[in-house]
Amino acid sequence: QVQLVQSGTEVKKPGASVKVSCEATGYTFTSSHIHWLRQAPGQGLEWMGIINPSGVSTSYAQKFQGRVTMTRDTSTSTVYMELSSLRSEDTAVYYCARPRVGDTRDFENWGQGTLVTVSS
Amino acid sequence: DIQMTQSPSSLSASVGDRVTITCRASQSISNYLNWYQQKSGKAPNLLIYAASSLQSGVPSRFSGSGSGTDFTLTITNLQPEDFATYFCQQSYDVAVTFGGGTKVEIK
């Protein structure tokens, strides 16, 4: 079955960067886009961007342009999301998610989430 | 960005009740509307896609309707495991956006 397994909890200081990984199993890695979303404590969900693992194409939410980078490693079926210049407002659970089919944007599979805490 | 407005933000209901949650988009999104259930500390779970299509494995007491700007999620015969937070999401735009959520609590 499809599984997305994310890296563990991170604690960072303001101004630092964080890199979260998402290892995909149970399907052909290059056949599905992967999206990154986040959820601040007690808040709703916020889309950050998308990466196409079959190539190098990415698209980022305007809010994160210049601060976020999404990459992938096909040899390990892993995608990465790096967020730089962290501030306290970036404290959130970060999720990777896979669409139900093709290039739809309804998310059938989710990682377990990675808590990133930004605190001095 | 397309704004998604959900109502109510919370509600109290009893087992066996019928519950209705609404979601309004700031512009027409055709039927590109999805519903998720999220339980505390867990990732969201897709319930309904394309406004009214039931995701595989989801109980038939969940249903969705609507098109354009106004959408509804209905839960009939509410079960104990349905107490959770529900989110709508538009997938019309590549920059998907979510409603603020509706927390369904036990009365």
Side-chain angles (χ1 to χ4, degrees), chain A residues 35 37 39 43-47 50 59 61-62 95 100 104-108 110-113, chain B residues 34 36 38 41-46 49-50 55 87 89 91-96 98-100:
Chain A
H35 295 248
L37 306 97
Q39 187 171 33
Q43 302 300 308
L45 292 146
E46 182 174 35
W47 181 78
I50 178 177
S59 178
Q62 190 166 7
Y95 292 103
R100 182 180 48 85
T104 63
R105 293 181 288 275
D106 43 29
F107 304 122
E108 179 177 37
W110 295 70
Q112 81 276 21
Chain B
N34 313 301
Y36 297 84
Q38 187 177 33
K42 300 295 186 181
N45 181 45
L46 179 65
Y49 63 92
Q55 169 67 353
F87 293 96
Q89 174 228 341
S91 51
Y92 180 84
D93 189 7
V94 67
V96 303
F98 292 80

Side-chain angles (χ1 to χ4, degrees), chain A residues 1-18:
Chain A
Q1 75 280 23
V2 174
Q3 279 196 302
L4 301 175
V5 179
Q6 298 183 221
S7 48
T9 299
E10 301 268 10
V11 179
K12 296 292 183 181
K13 294 194 181 302
S17 297
V18 68

Side-chain angles (χ1 to χ4, degrees), chain A residues 46 67 83 85 88 90:
Chain A
E46 182 174 35
R67 278 211 304 147
L83 188 63
S85 302
S88 59
D90 293 318

Side-chain angles (χ1 to χ4, degrees), chain A residues 6 37-46 92-97 107 110-114, chain B residues 6 9 21 34-48 58 62 73 75 80-88 98-105:
Chain A
Q6 298 183 221
L37 306 97
R38 73 179 188 180
Q39 187 171 33
Q43 302 300 308
L45 292 146
E46 182 174 35
V93 175
Y94 289 75
Y95 292 103
C96 57
F107 304 122
W110 295 70
Q112 81 276 21
T114 296
Chain B
Q6 254 182 269
S9 56
I21 298 168
N34 313 301
W35 290 98
Y36 297 84
Q37 177 193 68
Q38 187 177 33
K39 297 184 177 179
S40 182
K42 300 295 186 181
N45 181 45
L46 179 65
L47 299 175
I48 302 285
V58 174
F62 291 92
L73 173 70
I75 313 170
E81 60 268 30
D82 301 336
F83 292 95
T85 300
Y86 295 84
F87 293 96
C88 63
F98 292 80
T102 297
K103 187 172 184 178
V104 177
E105 299 176 302

